[in-house]
Amino acid sequence: MATLMVSLAYASDYDEPHLLSMARETIISQVRGTPLNHVLMGKLPVKPVFVTIERDGVIRGCRGSLTTRTTSLEDEIRLAARGAAGHDPRYRPLSEKESWNFQVTITIVEGKEKISGVSGLRPQDGLALESGGHWGIVLPWEGKDPATRLKWAYQKAGVAQGAPASLFRLTATRFRG
């Protein structure tokens, strides 16, 4: 199980194996229609979350939000995991066969800072673009260079490249397993 910590300052705040296990169980429950059996180990403070599902190095779903929609981190992860498994409009829902072998990534958004341009973005920074009420979000470690990430953010927002937009640097903690 590989782990990538994007923001080491927050590493001790999370029980990584518990959160990854909970996300995996939620995905399996969503796909197979089985009940969730995971017992909560305490309510963690709520933060925005994204959950990404990959099979054989190919993304099969990614859902989440820059705002919180529940009252605990665990519930945010469950909500994002269900969405990634069956409700990402870019991909068909994960099949039961696929639910036996997949990798999950949890991205916990720790901060969102307004920026004037992308030239100073580091690989571990995410990028959020808002234009006319539309958002395009590129998570940390997506894209090799800032210009590519900006292009992807415009595409994800569904607005023309170069349209007036507000840009935000995202800092996050990321677990993979």
Side-chain angles (χ1 to χ4, degrees), residues 1-138:
M1 184 182 318
T3 300
L4 177 61
M5 293 302 302
V6 178
S7 177
L8 296 176
Y10 304 100
S12 64
D13 293 347
Y14 306 110
D15 180 350
E16 175 188 349
H18 168 70
L19 296 179
L20 285 169
S21 175
M22 186 183 61
R24 293 184 74 73
E25 183 177 323
T26 302
I27 292 164
I28 290 167
S29 173
Q30 172 72 26
V31 172
R32 298 181 194 167
T34 57
L36 280 171
N37 296 318
H38 216 284
V39 177
L40 287 178
M41 295 178 65
K43 295 274 187 176
L44 293 170
V46 66
K47 292 185 180 183
V49 169
F50 289 83
V51 172
T52 306
I53 301 169
E54 294 177 65
R55 277 191 43 85
D56 302 320
V58 176
I59 294 176
R60 289 290 293 110
C62 179
R63 298 304 288 169
S65 178
L66 289 177
T67 59
T68 57
R69 300 164 288 173
T70 68
T71 58
S72 74
L73 182 63
E74 291 94 336
D75 289 340
E76 287 293 324
I77 291 170
R78 284 191 183 105
L79 185 61
R82 280 193 297 272
H87 304 287
D88 185 333
R90 300 169 296 175
Y91 305 95
R92 63 178 168 71
L94 201 65
S95 70
E96 185 171 346
K97 180 181 177 185
E98 292 172 308
S99 73
W100 295 98
N101 183 23
F102 63 91
Q103 181 175 45
V104 64
T105 301
I106 299 170
T107 304
I108 301 169
V109 178
E110 303 289 355
K112 182 176 86 173
E113 165 195 5
K114 190 164 185 165
I115 57 175
S116 59
V118 298
S119 62
L121 285 180
R122 304 163 300 174
Q124 67 267 29
D125 293 331
L127 175 65
L129 175 145
E130 190 276 327
S131 180
H134 299 276
W135 285 86
I137 300 164
V138 180

